[in-house]
Amino acid sequence: MASQDPASFWVEKKIPLTRDPAKLEKWASQEVGPIVYLKLGVTYRCQLHCRHCCTGSYARDTRRELTTEEVKDAIDQCFKPLVIHFFGGEPTLRSDLIELIEYASERSVFVFFDTNGLLVTKDYATRLRTSGLELLHVSIDSPIPEKHDEYRGMEGSFAKAVEAVRNALEAGLKCAISTYATRESLENGEFEGIIRLGRELGATGVRYQLPTPAGRWLHNVDVKLTPEEEEKLRELADFPTLYRDFHFQTQTSSQCRGIAVGQYAYISPLGDIQPCSFMPLSFGNIREEPVKAILERMWKHPLYGESCLSEECPMLSDEFRRKYIDAIPAEAELPFRMTV
């Protein structure tokens, strides 16, 4: 990976990330660790109760959240990821988030994080920019305020999300709207409405995700789009900087580039290492073993040899779900600990 041309990461319709030649050259010239794209869950806590939350089915024992030093140690064990992406729950509920972003920005090239926007005031947005954050994702589910509030379970959450986008942009921070496309939003025009909202706000871009049977939707496979609906989605995806899922995804395939290439992993707020936040499978905990040992075991698992990984998100694959998701005992706590 160290020999890859950093410029190859920028493709059409992606967020224009900061090209710091010196930082990129330093990253590319040094030995890199096991993870190129590290997604770090820092809390399961959240003020909202979103119907589609991908971590909504996980145990929420806040007493067991990784400490500041444990998060930093996890970053160090992953040894120079290109991207560190903070995730929740709601990351801004951690009082040490700014400190963690500063730490991550010194050890990676790009730092992202996702937020519901409720706590992103003008002052907080300025602190995020100066901390070294490259990109903020603010979640907006519908361009209709009442619908967004209903989906999120809190009145006024739409107004706060829009305000967060404005605050971030005014602070000079790159900020994208994060949304997901459902069958309903494709039919009633709300997906296009989100794109229009992004233009009106001057957002840096719009990130969209496919509706995935995960989290609170884990067993709701009916949310999946048909191939025809996915094609319609791609035709509607007309925004200068609109992109799929995580930053290096393509628009023309459902394939998860992260899991498929084996250089992406998710560490949960409780220390579990999972293939991704959508997949409720744990291959070990960083409080019990070194990160490298867990990753090596995970990437050797037959799961990573499944043919669907080269074609689509495995959580959208009926065959993959029968083999790995439907087999999870009903009484099991998630994420389910896998055995070799």
Side-chain angles (χ1 to χ4, degrees):
M1 189 67 191
S3 62
Q4 184 166 358
D5 176 11
S8 68
F9 287 127
W10 282 268
V11 295
E12 185 182 3
K13 290 192 175 181
K14 294 292 183 70
I15 293 290
L17 300 180
T18 302
R19 296 193 187 207
D20 184 333
K23 196 171 186 180
L24 282 165
E25 184 177 355
K26 180 180 177 182
W27 178 86
S29 65
Q30 298 181 24
E31 180 185 0
V32 296
I35 298 179
V36 174
Y37 194 116
L38 172 62
K39 193 170 188 179
L40 257 175
V42 290
T43 184
Y44 284 137
R45 288 174 287 155
C46 188
Q47 312 95 319
L48 306 179
H49 190 81
C50 304
R51 60 177 186 170
H52 61 287
C53 179
C54 71
T55 62
S57 58
Y58 297 151
R60 278 160 160 67
D61 187 348
T62 57
R63 296 169 300 177
R64 295 166 54 209
E65 276 185 6
L66 295 177
T67 65
T68 304
E69 293 309 312
E70 285 176 322
V71 173
K72 290 180 178 180
D73 182 61
I75 291 172
D76 290 341
Q77 288 191 59
C78 294
F79 186 43
K80 278 183 11 60
L82 179 77
V83 175
I84 296 177
H85 185 162
F86 289 104
F87 196 63
E90 175 49 43
T92 58
L93 290 176
R94 281 194 66 131
S95 60
D96 60 355
L97 181 62
I98 299 294
E99 179 182 351
L100 293 176
I101 292 173
E102 290 173 342
Y103 193 84
S105 68
E106 294 172 356
R107 289 157 178 79
S108 66
V109 179
F110 306 113
V111 181
F112 306 159
F113 94 83
D114 286 48
T115 180
N116 57 34
L118 295 182
L119 299 180
V120 182
T121 62
K122 290 184 178 181
D123 176 67
Y124 197 81
T126 299
R127 293 175 63 199
L128 288 174
R129 180 181 58 78
T130 58
S131 71
L133 185 70
E134 173 70 15
L135 176 62
L136 179 68
H137 292 128
V138 177
S139 297
I140 298 181
D141 301 335
S142 170
I144 301 172
E146 295 78 13
K147 280 196 173 183
H148 172 93
D149 292 354
E150 177 188 352
Y151 296 159
R152 297 251 149 187
M154 178 184 285
E155 186 176 350
S157 58
F158 176 87
K160 284 288 188 180
V162 169
E163 182 183 7
V165 175
R166 291 194 174 111
N167 289 341
L169 295 172
E170 288 177 10
L173 182 64
K174 294 185 182 70
C175 182
I177 290 176
S178 177
T179 193
Y180 62 102
T182 64
R183 184 170 294 111
E184 177 187 14
S185 68
L186 288 174
E187 291 177 351
N188 63 19
E190 288 182 28
F191 177 73
E192 292 171 276
I194 290 286
I195 296 175
R196 286 195 297 273
L197 176 63
R199 292 197 187 103
E200 292 166 5
L201 293 174
T204 314
V206 174
R207 174 184 71 174
Y208 71 93
Q209 297 176 315
L210 300 180
T212 305
R216 293 198 174 105
W217 278 351
L218 183 60
H219 299 293
N220 186 7
V221 294
D222 291 340
V223 301
K224 294 194 301 181
L225 300 182
T226 65
E228 293 75 21
E229 288 166 337
E230 282 197 38
E231 180 59 32
K232 178 180 180 181
L233 174 60
R234 284 189 284 268
E235 291 173 357
L236 292 175
D238 181 19
F239 192 91
T241 50
L242 189 143
Y243 60 110
R244 277 276 314 281
D245 295 327
F246 68 95
H247 190 81
F248 304 127
Q249 180 65 290
T250 69
Q251 298 239 26
T252 57
S253 170
S254 298
Q255 177 188 6
C256 177
R257 298 296 180 188
I259 296 178
V261 299
Q263 295 171 329
Y264 166 91
Y266 168 71
I267 301 179
S268 84
L270 307 186
D272 289 294
I273 292 187
Q274 303 168 224
C276 79
S277 56
F278 280 26
M279 197 178 293
L281 307 175
S282 169
F283 285 83
N285 192 286
I286 64 173
R287 284 172 166 154
E288 302 167 5
E289 296 177 87
V291 168
K292 185 177 180 181
I294 300 172
L295 289 174
E296 288 177 349
R297 181 170 62 248
M298 181 172 78
W299 287 333
K300 289 178 182 177
H301 193 276
L303 179 156
Y304 279 80
E306 296 294 334
S307 60
C308 66
L309 265 66
S310 64
E311 301 169 359
E312 63 182 341
C313 166
M315 292 298 286
L316 298 174
S317 165
D318 292 336
E319 181 180 355
F320 182 93
R321 294 181 65 86
R322 281 194 296 270
K323 189 177 293 186
Y324 297 102
I325 306 304
D326 297 344
I328 298 175
E331 69 279 5
E333 182 177 285
L334 300 179
F336 180 67
R337 182 66 70 92
M338 298 291 284
T339 57
V340 178

